[in-house]
Amino acid sequence: MQNKINRFLLDFSVLSIFRRGSKNIFIFFVFTLLIFLLSSILFISNSIKSELDTTLNELPDITVQRLQAGRAINMPLSRVDRLLAIEGVKAVIPRVWGYYYFANAGVNFSVVGIDSFEDQYRDLYSKLCDKFDFDRLKKDSGMLVGVGVKKILQNSFYGDYFNFVKPDGGLTKIKIDGVFKGDTKLESNDIILLTSQKAREIFGMNKNEAVDFVVKVANPTEIPNIARKITTLYPDSRVVTKEDLSISYQNLFDYKSGLFLALFVISAFTFFMIIYDKASGISSDEKREIGILKAVGWKIDDILKEKFYEAFILSFASFVTALCLSLFYVYFLNAPLLKNIFIGYSTLKPAFDLPFAFDFQTNAIIFFLTVPIYIAATIIPSWRVASMDADEVMR
Amino acid sequence: MKKSTLILILIITTHLFADYSKEATLQPKLFQSGGEKQWSPITGQKITKFYKTTYVAKLASNGRFRQYTSISELLMDAKESGIDINSTLVIDAKTQKYIDAKEAYFLLNSTIDPTFGVVGTLAFKDKKTALGFEKIYGGKIVTFKKALHVAQKNLKNSIYFMSNIYKKKLYPMGEKIYKKRCKNIDLSDYIEINELENDISKGKICGDLSDKHTFALALYLWDVKREGGISNNTQKVKVKEDEKCPVCGMFVYKYPRWAAQIFYKHGDHEHHLSFDGVKDMMKFYFNATKWGRYDFAKKKNISKMLVTDYYTQKAIDARDAYFVIGSNIYGPMGNELIPFSTKQEAQNFKEDHEGKKVLKFNEIKESLPYSLDTK
């Protein structure tokens, strides 16, 4: 074991790093910056990928809207039965939802009305139905709010109730019965959940109407066929299948990740330029040092070991620093500037926060792309010099 | 059968259904007695909600009034408990007054949603009013006799249509309510569904419930709980990750949408083999030893055969299933026998996907799976 890590060599390498302080600080700085850029890019795209996956998973098999003059209007509930009669349809769930603009804080809440005895179109809602007592919610006309909503309401001094302004100007006072948290921040943050009667009241909707329908299909092969049947049955409807939606999401993502790839390639290229520069030559100072070391009796082996320690300490330190920095930058600061590239994506989803998705593989890739290469680029020229005669080097 | 399915499809596809409220706008007249008078004794639908399509008839045995929300229910009751069809009264959709059905004009199959099933009627005392409605909502004006005839002809379709809605929406909803709200309910206390609804609604045996929830709960209790039937089969065909199809050697778990299984019982233990499609299962079923040393796999040892229903993706008994061949839907092994739990579904699939034939289990010959391979 003693043989493997020589403490004196290690000592020497640390001292030697400090001896060439300004040069090493520069390398450390550039190295850190590049790895920071690389890993931030990969973190963001990973994060968005995982976001995309959750979004796609949550998408309903088929969404049916009713169009009039090209705009979506409310669906009469009487249409549910006709859709249920189509073979292969598992369930039809009328949705009552919408955005409520809270002028005080300048934000939109997503108000969702559910019937706890109906099939739910999101896992989150069925979980909440099991967890909270919806009978009570009905009785004292309460609501459940997401964490973000709670915070905003509290800032406006709405502690345990909120007054919704109805379309006719009247007020509906709703008690806050509970606060919930979803698996991802995105899916639950801005949501207000209440009974569908209350949601209809807030939006001034007719009790025989819903905003749109979600159609569940047991066999995915059958989705296009069912979508076609719905359009034939109700020609005024717009039928959006999971596939349509996921293609548009995917396109957007692919386009954006193309931009990221370009950035990635540029920063990787820069990195290799620097490496090449370093690998192709070694300063006369360093040459002389190796020569002297040889002259005082160091073996080639020792010199290479010392160089290895030096390179490893430097590159690993920058790698860890860069990783921490980019974690902080992406997940704590939410990637300002770089995230702006994704502004197109965020128009699809208004509340956009990067979810934490730490992928070991990505980090391994970054590690092996940088640290060993840098070490090699340091050792190889040193070895070339070390294998020469000491007097030749010092001459 | 084929013709009636076609009619069903025609009815469903040619109309854009209009929104027309059938709810009572005047003080409704309820003919039955007791608290249960608010609901139809046959389907349990609320009378006042579908007031404008209601019918009233007398029981032949004791002359008591029965009130229904649709013409199909009238026919169903005529068959079940015997009513005097000549005594039928029908509501005038315009004036909301009951008139003699024999003298009324019936607007048949207009764009207004039928109350029950696929045949909808609206009755009018005045021919002029009827013609006025026909102009707006389409359809055809007929006599009571003709309306009865059409409803009778489509009764099976109507019931099938409703059973889909019950199965997919109301039973699951009723079950949820029952599990969340109700304690033991003795269903033998009730002769008709509307009595049960009365107890749910007025007696509050399951707490406060809206009309919609009352109906769903009553229906679930009546059709599913009481009958004990409609086994709420929510199971899929379960396949472990290491199971290979004995015929083609592929891993079955990768194709859960096509999984099929045969269970063999011999001696004191039972075990099963999984297949990635009905075609391979049938090949094995007819000649097990062709595919290896499956000496136990004799037809007489078979305890259960499961296939995956194409539409619901649930496990159904292969021997009760209907299979479609020659369609444009392919399984992991190409051309397939695609299983369905009902003949209507199979027929419907055959029309949607250019199928050639609907077969029952015992109509499948040993040579058939092989002939599917060559196509």
Side-chain angles (χ1 to χ4, degrees), chain A residues 161-211:
Chain A
Y161 70 94
F162 182 69
N163 283 326
F164 286 96
V165 182
K166 285 188 288 188
D168 61 6
L171 292 179
T172 308
K173 183 174 165 180
I174 308 257
K175 229 179 91 185
I176 299 172
D177 260 355
V179 181
F180 64 87
K181 228 176 154 175
D183 293 336
T184 65
K185 215 174 170 187
L186 192 81
E187 68 169 357
S188 61
N189 213 21
D190 66 336
I191 287 179
I192 292 179
L193 211 60
L194 26 72
T195 60
S196 25
Q197 289 109 300
K198 278 288 160 195
R200 286 198 175 95
E201 193 185 317
I202 288 166
F203 293 133
M205 276 168 64
N206 189 319
K207 77 173 190 319
N208 294 320
E209 284 176 349
V211 172

Side-chain angles (χ1 to χ4, degrees), chain B residues 292-311:
Chain B
R293 298 188 54 188
Y294 296 103
D295 297 331
F296 60 86
K298 297 197 180 80
K299 273 191 197 172
K300 67 174 165 50
N301 288 340
I302 295 176
S303 58
K304 195 161 60 166
M305 289 175 84
L306 296 179
V307 292
T308 304
D309 183 295
Y310 177 81
Y311 280 135

Side-chain angles (χ1 to χ4, degrees), chain A residues 66 76 78-82 84-92 115-120 129-130 132 134-135 138 207-208 218-222 225 228-229 232-236, chain B residues 11-13 15-19 23 113-114 117-118 160-162 164-165 168-169 172-173 176-177 180-181 209-210 212-213 257 309-313 329 344-345 348-349 352-353:
Chain A
R66 184 183 178 192
S78 55
R79 291 188 176 190
V80 170
D81 289 358
R82 301 255 147 219
L84 277 175
I86 297 174
E87 303 290 2
V89 169
K90 193 167 120 199
V92 178
D115 180 335
S116 61
F117 295 130
E118 239 167 42
D119 212 353
Q120 302 303 331
C129 279
D130 294 338
F132 285 97
F134 269 76
D135 287 343
K138 205 182 235 169
K207 77 173 190 319
N208 294 320
N219 189 344
T221 326
E222 205 50 23
N225 194 31
R228 196 172 39 79
K229 280 189 183 174
T232 328
L233 185 55
Y234 293 113
D236 64 343
Chain B
I11 290 170
I12 291 178
T13 50
H15 293 180
L16 178 59
F17 291 89
D19 302 316
E23 248 170 283
D113 266 322
V118 293
Y160 180 69
F161 178 86
M162 292 314 277
N164 249 331
I165 295 164
K168 291 173 183 172
K169 184 171 84 175
M173 185 190 263
K176 269 191 184 171
I177 300 169
K180 215 160 189 174
R181 293 281 197 82
L209 286 174
S210 67
K212 186 173 80 180
H213 293 156
R257 281 189 242 152
D309 183 295
Y310 177 81
Y311 280 135
T312 62
Q313 295 289 297
I329 297 287
Q344 277 105 323
E345 282 172 355
N348 178 70
F349 175 84
D352 280 356
H353 293 285

